[in-house]
Amino acid sequence: MNKTGVIVLNAEKGAEEKLYEIAKRKGFFYQSSEIYGGLTGFYDYGSVGTSIKRNIENLWRKHYLGLGDSYCEIEPADVMHEKVFVASGHLKNFTDPSVRCTKCGAYHRADHVIGDAIGKSVEGSSSEEMTKMIKDSKIACPKCGGRLGEVKVLNMMFPTKLGAEEDTIAYLRPETAQGVYVNFLRQFNILRSRLPMGIAIVGKAFRNEISPRQLLIRQREFTQAELQIFFDPEKIDECKNWDEVKDYEIRVLGVGETKETMMRCDELASRKGIPKFYVYHLAKQQQFFVEIMEFPIEKFRMRELSKEERAFYNKIHFDAEVYLDGFGEFREVGGTHYRTDHDLKGHGEISGKSQEIFYNGKRFIPHVLELSVGIDRTFFAAMSLFYMGTKEREWEWFSFPEGIAPFTYAVFPLVNKDGISELAKKLYDGLKPKHTVTYDDSGSIGRRYARSDEIGIPFAITVDYQSLEDGTVTVRERDSTKQVRKHISAIGEQHAKNTSTKA
Amino acid sequence: MNKTGVIVLNAEKGAEEKLYEIAKRKGFFYQSSEIYGGLTGFYDYGSVGTSIKRNIENLWRKHYLGLGDSYCEIEPADVMHEKVFVASGHLKNFTDPSVRCTKCGAYHRADHVIGDAIGKSVEGSSSEEMTKMIKDSKIACPKCGGRLGEVKVLNMMFPTKLGAEEDTIAYLRPETAQGVYVNFLRQFNILRSRLPMGIAIVGKAFRNEISPRQLLIRQREFTQAELQIFFDPEKIDECKNWDEVKDYEIRVLGVGETKETMMRCDELASRKGIPKFYVYHLAKQQQFFVEIMEFPIEKFRMRELSKEERAFYNKIHFDAEVYLDGFGEFREVGGTHYRTDHDLKGHGEISGKSQEIFYNGKRFIPHVLELSVGIDRTFFAAMSLFYMGTKEREWEWFSFPEGIAPFTYAVFPLVNKDGISELAKKLYDGLKPKHTVTYDDSGSIGRRYARSDEIGIPFAITVDYQSLEDGTVTVRERDSTKQVRKHISAIGEQHAKNTSTKA
């Protein structure tokens, strides 16, 4: 365990400390309520991080809401009725096994401590079984080496009490999904009763994690982007746009396999027997990470979860995983969950309002395919994957793709006199309406290149004396560090991929 | 009191019921956790409402973050350290006076009940004073007419307990502002120590209102968009862009005045003695509502708050208010607060980390000007102001400006055969990357016009047999209902103001 609370396994030591150091210094993210010593499991996004996070969220919206015509976003409240979580099963089942050290008093996730000690997952074991494992394998406190107590199960939801008497109990949602399910019938009417229907939420979820760790990977407050697709279960083997993906290769790690393989979508459907509707969306999930986020395919995989690993209501479940050098391991960044009619059925039973629809001449409860992306984890994976260290230069830098970089352009006046800063300002103001752009007029141009590299800005434009004469400026490309002169009127013509909040 | 919990004063009766009815039916917003009977004070935005809300948020970002070069957005966690609210004073002072009916048991905001009964504001009165007022004026329960009890003071923050022992108490932030203040020093470094510096948050805030009411106006969970501008207090009478606004007229209601007047910015500065830096930003606030949101100026005002009405740390305070027909009254939608160094000073004292900076050769704590906009209230005001009822047509409609309409275009194929729907789909797919557009192929064209009017879509485009021959389509303009034929290639050329999530 290191000072950021990260357990480093087989990893390049110090890699994620370096990342956290630059994250704090340059405004990507840092511990929340920092001046008060921080709040464990909560992080704040600084100005640079927020810009990148917005870009990821907007790229997500563009990709996922574009998957169908009856696809849209809703924004339900974060605080929800207690009965929502009776129906979903969270009140009963959304628990974590916790174990306390009898010596130092520290709390640990029992399954993590045992898993780390015996080298394999114990997901699904009961608290009695885990208490026994700790005794049998003589597993000690990872912090102080003291004796661990009994394993106890704790609900991970945050309750809140409403009203003057505080007699109404409600919960901060532990996942965005339920916000869609309780709105299903109303939205089905609003979108005029068509299937498949896709309803997305991009928003916060809250979980009282026993031991938050690994920076943005396991937080108590985090952002999910999830699309719930409602469809007719009889049509699960039909897929309108199948031709678009049938030859597309997905990097898969099947249950029991030790090595990833590239599998064509039609192989996944025919050899593995996975329904086409599912495979199509698995492809679309990979495309988000590999084509839109531009994560290298060799650091990405779709890992199939076994029956023991997946939730009982998930009939098919692949996690999208990214290899993080800092951890020396793959980490989950998303999931594709075939949740069947589990949730709608539960809400129908507990609310007494049938969730059946009449569609295409029959009455049924639609099934749900959930495409889930953890925005913070994807953000963190991007930081990790595009972090170049001090490769080929004297400062740290990030090679973010244009679509996610915090700014597309940095504009530098060579000097702040002789009309140069006026021209640079004019360029800056002209780019602002359609692009994300920052202005930097202090220090040497070299120092300014370093500063823009440190937050991964793809293009740095310098306005100099020649600009005053012939209207050309120097465009310095981040990755190659090549400098070319271009006419000022050509700047911004080609690059408008960035969708940040300042756009 | 009507069925939506709204007290109607001098208002066109039923106006806001009508609004809520269409809001539910067309997917603007509706009570949260509706299938479980709803959760008081919480609302969900449906697909149409979310699109409009995103537009408002993005217009806000564009306008406010464009006010300066060192202006940016951050995204701190919603859950914050207890000490944040010791420093800000919320733990001690963020309270509401509550009174319970001894007969029916209902809770009421004591100041509201008394204010409604005696016809003037009692803000600032103590609980003893209010208990006396109820007795003296014989004020009864507004619900059942029963006798009201003692006035008690309740803190409005939602606490949450963290960790396995639930021994750490944190709070859901009751305002976004504190998220900026605790990040001030770090962001000042990140943005390389320049003043004025503007830090914005667009995010949720949570308040345990005793009696939530008036639909989106007083909720327990709501979205604020706030820009905190840090500046050198010695420069409060300086304003770089003063010329831009000096002749601009603000619609003002001063303290003690009964009628609004249009006042030029330079009059506000010279005659009223309000510092230029404040007046400039007051003008920018009005421009957001009047020019960008396109609220009619005669329904808008900047109301100056008296010393008794404003918080003790607010040295100057004007509220942006909009007249809502449904309530027959003005309602606050934003505020411009000169908070001085109150918050930073508090955080410096409680955290022990001085918030002083060294800037321009001197050491000081910057002052803060807060530009605050309630996104839900602005959304609701837009619904109210642009609701046309059944004026000039047989169905209800909204005259939303293009910038906030949920979609810019609706595309209709006249029939679903003979290649017409293919051409319509092609137009729809072609518009999607740069515009917000919806597709509707069911029912008569008249019925489809009605449907698009009901959610305020500015342009409806019909593809018909003539389109196949000469490539022209019918463009029907919502407000005038005029129909003109245009070539299909000209659609979308002029209109790209809409910034929704599908853009």
Side-chain angles (χ1 to χ4, degrees), chain B residues 14-247:
Chain B
E16 86 304 335
E17 281 101 332
K18 269 188 211 161
L19 220 49
Y20 188 45
E21 197 282 320
I22 196 168
K24 284 193 289 187
R25 185 164 53 84
K26 302 305 289 184
F28 290 85
F29 69 89
Y30 34 80
Q31 183 110 63
S32 180
S33 298
E34 206 183 17
I35 62 169
Y36 292 105
L39 205 54
T40 309
F42 296 88
Y43 287 90
D44 291 357
Y45 284 88
S47 47
V48 166
T50 301
S51 183
I52 295 172
K53 183 168 185 272
R54 289 281 166 282
N55 289 340
I56 296 173
E57 289 166 351
N58 287 333
L59 289 170
W60 189 95
R61 289 185 171 108
K62 196 163 181 166
H63 180 68
Y64 287 89
L65 299 180
L67 293 178
D69 293 335
S70 284
Y71 285 38
C72 64
E73 185 184 352
I74 64 171
E75 189 185 304
D78 296 355
V79 175
M80 298 183 81
H81 202 289
E82 186 172 26
K83 283 201 176 148
V84 172
F85 304 107
V86 174
S88 69
H90 281 89
L91 256 181
K92 202 174 150 198
N93 302 319
F94 195 62
T95 52
D96 256 355
S98 158
V99 64
R100 194 181 189 190
C101 175
T102 57
K103 196 174 154 199
C104 74
Y107 280 91
H108 305 281
R109 271 281 293 270
D111 52 341
H112 290 177
V113 170
I114 301 170
D116 290 349
I118 67 173
K120 64 172 188 180
S121 169
V122 294
E123 249 182 89
S125 306
S126 72
S127 47
E128 291 76 22
E129 285 164 348
M130 282 190 266
T131 303
K132 194 172 174 302
M133 286 179 210
I134 288 175
K135 274 189 190 152
D136 291 354
S137 302
K138 297 199 174 68
I139 300 168
C141 172
K143 209 171 156 189
C144 77
R147 193 174 60 78
L148 294 172
E150 300 260 303
V151 174
K152 281 179 192 163
V153 158
L154 295 164
N155 194 292
M156 289 167 69
M157 288 199 294
F158 287 113
T160 64
K161 292 173 180 172
L162 309 179
E165 288 265 283
E166 303 192 333
D167 45 2
T168 304
I169 292 180
Y171 289 87
L172 286 169
R173 64 183 178 202
E175 60 174 25
T176 59
Q178 300 304 325
V180 171
Y181 304 144
V182 297
N183 283 314
F184 163 69
L185 277 187
R186 185 165 282 288
Q187 277 298 140
F188 188 66
N189 282 325
I190 289 162
L191 297 172
R192 285 178 304 112
S193 313
R194 285 183 292 194
L195 294 184
M197 172 177 80
I199 308 279
I201 295 178
V202 180
K204 292 285 178 77
F206 302 83
R207 294 179 185 177
N208 191 8
E209 295 281 353
I210 292 161
S211 56
R213 56 178 183 169
Q214 298 177 329
L215 301 170
L216 302 187
I217 297 291
R218 194 170 293 279
Q219 294 182 83
R220 285 175 170 156
E221 175 181 337
F222 52 100
T223 301
Q224 293 187 312
E226 297 191 320
L227 177 68
Q228 314 293 328
I229 305 173
F230 299 87
F231 65 97
D232 178 350
E234 287 184 7
K235 305 234 166 135
I236 193 164
D237 249 320
E238 292 173 24
C239 178
K240 201 174 66 165
N241 303 312
W242 181 247
D243 282 352
E244 205 188 282
V245 301
K246 72 180 193 326
D247 296 319

Side-chain angles (χ1 to χ4, degrees), chain A residues 24-27 30-40 42-48 50-51 53-54 57-58 61-62 65-66 68-69 71-81 83-84 87 98 100 107 154 158-166 168 170 172 179 181-183 186-187 190-192 194 202 204 206 208-210 220-221 223 346-348 350-351 353 355 425 428-429 432-433 439-442 451 501-503, chain B residues 24-27 30-40 42-48 50-51 53-54 57-58 61-62 65-66 68-69 71-81 83-84 87 98 100 107 154 158-166 168 170 172-173 179 181-183 186-187 190-192 194 202 204 206 208-210 220-221 223 346-348 350-351 353 355 425 428-429 432-433 439-442 451 501-503:
Chain A
K24 282 192 290 188
R25 186 165 51 85
K26 303 305 289 187
Y30 34 80
Q31 183 110 62
S32 181
S33 297
E34 205 182 17
I35 61 169
Y36 293 105
L39 204 54
T40 310
F42 296 88
Y43 287 91
D44 291 357
Y45 285 89
S47 47
V48 167
T50 300
S51 184
K53 182 168 185 273
R54 288 281 167 282
E57 289 166 351
N58 287 332
R61 289 185 172 108
K62 197 163 179 164
L65 299 181
D69 293 336
Y71 284 38
C72 64
E73 184 183 354
I74 63 171
E75 190 185 305
D78 296 356
V79 175
M80 297 182 81
H81 202 289
K83 284 204 176 143
V84 172
S98 158
R100 193 179 188 189
Y107 281 90
L154 294 164
F158 288 113
T160 64
K161 291 173 181 172
L162 310 179
E165 288 264 284
E166 302 191 333
T168 304
L172 286 168
Y181 304 144
V182 298
N183 282 315
R186 186 166 280 289
Q187 277 299 140
I190 289 162
L191 297 172
R192 285 179 302 112
R194 286 181 291 194
V202 179
K204 292 283 179 77
F206 302 83
N208 192 9
E209 296 280 353
I210 293 161
R220 286 174 171 158
E221 175 181 337
T223 301
H347 289 299
I350 302 297
S351 72
K353 292 185 180 66
Q355 301 294 301
K425 270 276 177 198
Y428 169 74
D429 288 333
K432 257 201 302 198
Y439 189 86
D440 187 355
D441 62 2
S442 67
R451 258 188 231 128
T501 58
K502 275 207 153 185
Chain B
K24 284 193 289 187
R25 185 164 53 84
K26 302 305 289 184
Y30 34 80
Q31 183 110 63
S32 180
S33 298
E34 206 183 17
I35 62 169
Y36 292 105
L39 205 54
T40 309
F42 296 88
Y43 287 90
D44 291 357
Y45 284 88
S47 47
V48 166
T50 301
S51 183
K53 183 168 185 272
R54 289 281 166 282
E57 289 166 351
N58 287 333
R61 289 185 171 108
K62 196 163 181 166
L65 299 180
D69 293 335
Y71 285 38
C72 64
E73 185 184 352
I74 64 171
E75 189 185 304
D78 296 355
V79 175
M80 298 183 81
H81 202 289
K83 283 201 176 148
V84 172
S98 158
R100 194 181 189 190
Y107 280 91
L154 295 164
F158 287 113
T160 64
K161 292 173 180 172
L162 309 179
E165 288 265 283
E166 303 192 333
T168 304
L172 286 169
R173 64 183 178 202
Y181 304 144
V182 297
N183 283 314
R186 185 165 282 288
Q187 277 298 140
I190 289 162
L191 297 172
R192 285 178 304 112
R194 285 183 292 194
V202 180
K204 292 285 178 77
F206 302 83
N208 191 8
E209 295 281 353
I210 292 161
R220 285 175 170 156
E221 175 181 337
T223 301
H347 288 299
I350 303 296
S351 72
K353 292 184 180 65
Q355 301 295 301
K425 270 275 178 202
Y428 169 73
D429 288 335
K432 259 203 295 200
Y439 189 86
D440 187 355
D441 62 2
S442 68
R451 258 188 231 128
T501 57
K502 276 207 153 184

